[in-house]
Every structure is written in C-alpha cells, then in structure tokens.
Amino acid sequence: MTGRPTSRDVAREAGVSQSTVSLVLGGKWTGRVSPATAAGVRAAAARLGYRPNRAARNLRLGTTRTVLLMVPSLTSPFFGPVYRGAARVAARHGFGVVVYEWPDLPGPAGSPFAAPHEAIDGILASSMAVEAVGGFPGTPAVMLDSDPDGPVPSVGLGVADGMRAIIAHLAALGHTRFGHVAADVDQWTFHSRADALAAAVGAVPGGALVRAGCAIDVASAKAAAGRLLDGPHPPTALVCDDDQISAGAYKAARARGLDVPRDLSVTGFDDVLLATALEPELTTVRLPAEDLGAAGMAALLELLDGGCPAPRTLPGELIVRSSTAAPPRGTR
Amino acid sequence: MTGRPTSRDVAREAGVSQSTVSLVLGGKWTGRVSPATAAGVRAAAARLGYRPNRAARNLRLGTTRTVLLMVPSLTSPFFGPVYRGAARVAARHGFGVVVYEWPDLPGPAGSPFAAPHEAIDGILASSMAVEAVGGFPGTPAVMLDSDPDGPVPSVGLGVADGMRAIIAHLAALGHTRFGHVAADVDQWTFHSRADALAAAVGAVPGGALVRAGCAIDVASAKAAAGRLLDGPHPPTALVCDDDQISAGAYKAARARGLDVPRDLSVTGFDDVLLATALEPELTTVRLPAEDLGAAGMAALLELLDGGCPAPRTLPGELIVRSSTAAPPRGTR
DNA sequence: CCCGCTTGGTCATACGTATTACTAATCCGA
DNA sequence: TCGGATTAGTAATACGTATGACCAAGCGGG
C-alpha cells in the first residue's frame, strides 16, 4: 500500500465492505448502517488518513462540482474580489472554483478555450465577450458585467447609472467641458460607459465632450489625458474609465502644473485600492466586485440546479472624495 | 446520446474499437494504427465534438496534471503575476493550476486544508508558513519566498539583500535615523525583512531605528507611520515593508505638512503597480513575482518528475525613483 | 511450405467510487 | 408459530479512459 489509501483499504481496516464505507462516508447511511459500525468506519478512515479520490468520485457522479471562472486578468485589483465572492458562495454549496486567465493564457491548442484543464460543471465569465463561452458548447454559463441582452444569463453592474451619477455630480459643481479618458478595450462594460457618458453630457446645458483612448495602464493613461489637456478646448473635468487611468490623469495634470481638484477635477471608476491610496483621494464609482462574484455564482448554481435565474443588476455607488471640485473661475 | 460523446461514440462513428480511438487521440499510435484509420478517427472525433472526460482520464492515469497554488490573498497585486508565471510554465508542460486563497477561504470542514476541491499532483505555496502544506501529507510541494531552511524545497526571493540595498542607498544619501513601518504579518518574508533591516541599520555609523507595526492597508499604515513621525526622535526615512504601506506613509507625511522626499524619504517593497501610480514615484525593491511563480513551478515539476530541484533565490532589484533624497539640513 | 516477424488492430481489464439490487438476520403482531 | 416487515449489511456494477495482452493477416527467407 504505497499510494494513498482507498475506500477498500478503509473497509479492510474496519472489517466491513467497501460499500459500507462509501455509505457511511457519503452521509447517506441513516437506517442502513448501525451507529456502531459507522463509528468504526470513521475511526478506520481517520486512522488511515483516508480521503476519497476526487477523480473517481467525479467519474462516478458525472459531476465535478467545480466551476470555471474566466477573467481577463488576475492582475487587475478588480478581479480578486470577484473571485473571492464567487468562491465563497461556491464553497457554501460544496463547489470549487478554478480560475482561467484570458487572453493572457491561451490554451495549449492555440484556441484559448480548447482545453480548460479541469472538468467543469459551469462557467462564470467576467467582463468578457459572449464568444468566450463559445468554446464550451452546452456548458451552463453566466456572464458578469456583460451585455444583458446577450444569449447567456448575466449579472450586470450599473455602470451606466454610475456614469450618469458622475456627470450629475460634476454638472452640479458647474462643469460643462468634459474629457473622457477611455479604456480602449473591446468589452461591453466600456462601451456601456462611453454611451452613458455621451448621453449624459448631451443632457447638460452647454455640455461639451472630448475623448481620448488609452490602454489600462498609468503611462498610457497619462499620455491620453495629456492629449486632452493640450487640446484646443481643454476640459475642466476628466472622466476616467478606471481608477488606474485616473492615476495617469493625475500625473498628466501635475506635469502641467495643474492642481487636482482646484484646476482640474478627475473621476475614476471601480473604487479599487488605488482610489484611496492616491492624493487627493479619488471621487469614483464603487462597483461591488465581491457581490458581483457572489451573485454570479448564485445565479450559476441556480442554473446548474435546473432553475432559471432572474436577471440582476447590482448598482454602483458614487463615492465623492477629494478629486472633484468646482471648475476654476473664468473657464465657463 | 444526450450527454457528451464518449470515446466509444467516436469509435462507433469511425467504425473502429474504443481502444483505437484512445490510441489515436492519445498520440501513441505510431506503428500501431495506420495513418488512414487515424485520420478517420480524428474526423469522427471532430464531427462529434468529442473531448475526453477528464475525470476518467485522471482516474485511469492516477495523475491529474494539476497543481494547487496557495496564496494568502488574490487581492494583493503581487500574486497575480506569481500566478501568471506559474500557470505559464505549467501550461507548457500540460499542467493546469488551481488557485486556493488562504486564509480567507477556509475549507468546508473548518480546517482550511481539509478539502481542496480538486485532485492535485502537487502544491505551490506562496509566502506561507510550512504548516500550510501539512494538510496534504505526501503531496510534493514547493514553497515560494519562505524559509529556505524548512523541510520543503523552496524558491527564495532576495528580500534580505533588498533591504540591505535600501539601507545602503539611504545611508549614502546621508540618513541615519530610520523608521520601519512593518507589516504585522507572521510570514517568513516579513521576519526576514525586519532582521535584515535591523542588521543593516546597526552597521550604519550612528544609525538609529524605530519601528511601528501595521496591517497591510493604507489606513493602518498611515497610522503607524504617524506614530513614528510624532515620536521623540522622528526618522528622516521611512522604510516600508510593502508598496501599499508606503502609500500610507505618504499620507502621514502630507498630513503633517512634510514633503516627500524633501522632508522625508520613503521606500517601498515589491514594486507593484502602485509604485509608479503614486506621486512622487516610489523608490522600492522590485521583486520578480512572475519569475518567482515560473521558477517555483519549474521546481515543482522537476520534483514531480522524481528529480531534486536545486534551491534557488531570485534577486530583488533596487529601483530608485523620486521618493528618496538627502535628509533635510539640521537633522543629523 | 512453414515459421518467425511485422503491421494493424481488438479484447479485456483496472483505476476508486457511489448506488441499486439483493440477502441474512432479527423482530413483532396476530 | 409463522410470515411480513424492518434492520444491517454485502455483492455487483457502471462511470470513461488507457494500456498490456492477445490475435489475425500478410510477407519474406530458408
């Protein structure tokens, strides 16, 4: 017995049959096994340090009680909490979570989704295109923060409302000239932000909007914000698609001798750690990342259970900190 | 055939036996199956959208080709890259990675390690105590950034050298009064930093060291740094255990009207995203997180292969940016 | 012409578990 | 006392794969 002990080893140790071991350890022994025998089995299992073979159990049951969480990048501070929320709910139902980072980790076969390494029961895809789940035909899936009108059930985030709240806040302070430092990422959530932003600015009397795109990193954001500030009609408020982009906007402002928020207001999105680490602390929209993961997992588990989860949207919340103020005099 | 197709379905479709399908798709058919038959099998598999059942394969082979990555918290920006490096190397060898966040996600049985959800072949434990792998007796494990003298093979980070480099840099600038804003976390890496720091300061002529502990979050770090700055002999340089802690130190300084780096030098550790998002950009020690994950995975794979991986230590690198300068006049 | 060898493929089995069908023993009411 | 019901447990089997043992042709050399 060099390898790990099996249920048969436990059976021999306890002087019963393998079936009995399985019944006892499976918890379905009520009325089939005497308490004394059950105790004996448990003791034997403990003595041998037995733990059931997952592969065998999965094969037998035809279910892995594992779901795949697909995220664009684990490095982003947004997805840690998403994972945590999802994993917590999953654990409560005896499910495990496997993370799949995409597109940074293409599968071995070239197609990124050719081979998720684990056998999975369902998919939770965060901030991804619907095609992302196309690699798993027939596997139940729930999308997070994606197009709610897509063919796959989803849990949404109130990003449009968040954008509207930002503009309302800035407009109330007196701003009319807005700059959108936009993430050049082809995800629904960013398209949605852009659309809501444009519409909201359109509703502001005398509102004007300029836009510059960038990657989601500080240097790229700094350059994009700089382009807006150096333009012919520089905005008095920079609306950023992401907290990290806001950090770039801060840098662009400082490089031009502009004080935030006295000379320039800046807003973020997400409310990740960075928002309060920056100086001044960032006015941003808090997205409930952990709740998103939890709600998505709950929906997926309901789906796996044969149910039909109701569409949900989790609202964002405008957090006003110190990076926004009235525009400087003489700019309106 | 309501469920997913099996190798037997493919066999029927191709007019061969199940064994043949397995041989062909397993890639070991050279000299056993004619090219024509192999092509037919492949075509049939493609037509049916066949993908082998992982659970069955795992059971049969007795190996899952999956390793468990244990990290304290996925929310920390340090562990995303660690995961990525590990996953990349693993994928190249046909292995998958499952993440287990600890201690935030205790297992169902109360004991955090009672039940990792997947069957695993090995463990990569990052910045954790050796006890962390005790829950998996007999499972090959490699520790990352942990005590190299422990009973488990490990890949180290040159954190002690990093601390020495920081002190050397600050001492060269003229600092003698150092404050250590220390992470109150019982991990080897932080003990190691503290020891190296104390020794290095002891070697500075006239060197003095005060210390304040905090949790790894901005608010707690701000408070701790404040305690040092308000003490009887305020340091001229704050050495922080972590970039995030440095952000707190910045805030404490600003709250007291101190300019970084004119009135106070601040250093970080890790060189995560935050380091360049802050103003001024942070002098810190870059830890090669992605390389760490990659090297750890390589060592683990070697271990799984029956080899005996040589101990390695990846050096940190001092990155001098704008948060350090000579101490203000009159302070020495 | 027969035997050994190669080629191309199939049969049977085992991995470890969960569960259904079955049996042996005990019990209780009439 | 007897027979149905209950209790306590076992035997057998299937999940889907990979692989070692086996086997049927074909073929060429002696």
Side-chain angles (χ1 to χ4, degrees), chain A residues 7-8 18 22 32 50 57 60:
Chain A
S7 62
R8 229 173 295 268
Q18 181 267 332
S22 188
R32 313 226 355 185
Y50 168 75
R57 160 176 276 166
R60 172 67 226 235

Side-chain angles (χ1 to χ4, degrees), chain A residues 220-320:
Chain A
S220 173
K222 177 181 178 182
R227 288 199 299 277
L228 294 182
L229 294 176
D230 296 338
H233 294 289
T236 58
L238 289 182
V239 178
C240 304
D241 263 352
D242 180 82
D243 290 350
Q244 201 170 332
I245 291 175
S246 302
Y250 275 34
K251 283 184 183 289
R254 294 239 168 91
R256 286 159 182 79
L258 299 175
D259 180 78
V260 177
R262 190 166 42 82
D263 306 318
L264 179 72
S265 289
V266 174
T267 64
F269 224 99
D270 288 0
D271 194 32
V272 297
L273 168 78
L274 192 58
T276 50
L278 290 174
E279 287 269 347
E281 299 198 349
L282 188 64
T283 294
T284 189
V285 169
R286 172 175 300 164
L287 295 181
E290 188 158 344
D291 291 346
L292 180 69
M297 181 58 71
L300 180 55
L301 293 179
E302 190 180 342
L303 197 64
L304 289 176
D305 210 38
C308 181
R312 283 188 64 185
T313 294
L314 306 181
E317 180 192 2
L318 178 67
I319 310 281
V320 177

Side-chain angles (χ1 to χ4, degrees), chain A residues 157-186:
Chain A
L157 281 176
V159 292
D161 282 342
M163 266 303 179
R164 283 189 274 273
I166 284 178
I167 299 304
H169 167 65
L170 291 171
L173 288 170
H175 291 271
T176 57
R177 301 212 309 270
F178 302 91
H180 183 195
V181 191
D184 265 340
V185 174
D186 187 19

